[in-house]
Amino acid sequence: ETGVTQTPRHLVMGMTNKKSLKCEQHLGHNAMYWYKQSAKKPLELMFVYSLEERVENNSVPSRFSPECPNSSHLFLHLHTLQPEDSALYLCASSQNNNYFYEQYFGPGTRLTVT
Amino acid sequence: GNSVTQMEGPVTLSEEAFLTINCTYTATGYPSLFWYVQYPGEGLQLLLKATKADDKGSNKGFEATYRKETTSFHLEKGSVQVSDSAVYFCALSGGSGYALNFGKGTSLLVTP
């Protein structure tokens, strides 16, 4: 148990559906992250929030929309996805001051787009 | 920019064998270095870390030493168990940007 929870753990959705992934951290951290992990590919950083502001967005398609309502919660809203978006989506959090420390990961949401 | 290079897997070992997974890095400044482990069906867990040159991180029998002269952070374990079967990721922080730079991961399979 890392102190970062993600729901749902598994999600199957059609290309026309809208769904949301939820992440919650219980560690008192001030930064949260979304990563995409696809088979045979390196971890891809998608979004970074620091103090509830988006500070990094790595050319992610607009069909992925993040939301960070407070420092403990992070959402990833999904709409009109493509089959190649099927992957494990990992949330992480860290305590960032002037120096960036280790990140703690949730168990991930396994997304399948049909 | 910063980057991490890990040895290609998969690595297959018999139980009680010695493990080394190589990791080298390129970075400006003074990064911190990490090893993460991912068990099947789970997220990444921090295994160990080192924040400055010559530091040794250790946990659960795993060790890695931050070698600035060779820009390396190799993971070692003296006697692996079947339960160590997982994917191991080397990572660094401290460069520009907010995220960790991860290696591609090395898959380890330990057989009885």
Side-chain angles (χ1 to χ4, degrees):
Chain A
E1 181 60 46
T2 63
V4 180
T5 58
Q6 289 187 244
T7 55
R9 293 293 308 274
H10 301 272
L11 178 63
V12 179
M13 59 186 290
M15 289 190 284
T16 57
N17 291 158
K18 290 184 180 181
K19 297 285 185 183
S20 295
L21 309 185
K22 178 182 176 182
C23 175
E24 183 173 2
Q25 59 97 0
H26 310 273
L27 301 169
H29 290 163
N30 61 8
M32 297 186 77
Y33 310 76
W34 280 117
Y35 287 87
K36 177 183 179 182
Q37 187 177 35
S38 304
K40 310 293 185 186
K41 293 176 73 173
L43 274 167
E44 300 174 51
L45 177 66
M46 300 176 72
F47 301 104
V48 180
Y49 278 83
S50 181
L51 297 173
E52 299 154 45
E53 283 192 30
R54 190 190 308 181
V55 295
E56 197 157 324
N57 173 0
N58 285 354
S59 302
V60 179
S62 60
R63 57 186 183 268
F64 295 91
S65 175
E67 178 188 3
C68 187
N70 55 62
S71 60
S72 299
H73 294 86
L74 184 66
F75 295 89
L76 187 63
H77 304 299
L78 316 171
H79 65 96
T80 58
L81 295 190
Q82 304 299 310
E84 61 265 27
D85 297 322
S86 298
L88 182 68
Y89 288 84
L90 293 165
C91 174
S93 71
S94 68
Q95 182 62 27
N96 294 345
N97 301 312
N98 291 322
Y99 187 77
F100 297 99
Y101 296 96
E102 62 268 24
Q103 295 176 16
Y104 292 85
F105 285 79
T109 295
R110 173 67 63 184
L111 173 66
T112 302
V113 181
T114 60
Chain B
N2 293 354
S3 66
V4 173
T5 302
Q6 284 181 243
M7 61 186 289
E8 294 285 331
V11 173
T12 302
L13 294 173
S14 298
E15 205 165 23
E16 300 184 2
F18 185 86
L19 169 71
T20 300
I21 299 178
N22 291 337
C23 171
T24 57
Y25 67 90
T26 303
T28 55
Y30 303 94
S32 290
L33 299 171
F34 308 91
W35 277 101
Y36 283 83
V37 58
Q38 185 176 31
Y39 297 103
E42 298 183 14
L44 276 68
Q45 299 176 25
L46 179 65
L47 181 60
L48 53 84
K49 67 177 182 180
T51 58
K52 61 182 186 295
D54 300 324
D55 268 2
K56 177 186 283 188
S58 61
N59 186 25
K60 299 180 181 179
F62 291 89
E63 294 183 340
T65 301
Y66 187 158
R67 302 284 189 201
K68 191 170 175 63
E69 63 277 13
T70 55
T71 62
S72 65
F73 193 55
H74 304 322
L75 182 69
E76 297 182 337
K77 186 175 185 182
S79 176
V80 293
Q81 305 300 311
V82 172
S83 57
D84 294 326
S85 298
V87 180
Y88 292 82
F89 293 88
C90 185
L92 69 84
S93 73
S96 61
Y98 291 79
L100 299 178
N101 293 97
F102 282 92
K104 293 184 178 180
T106 302
S107 176
L108 170 67
L109 176 63
V110 180
T111 58

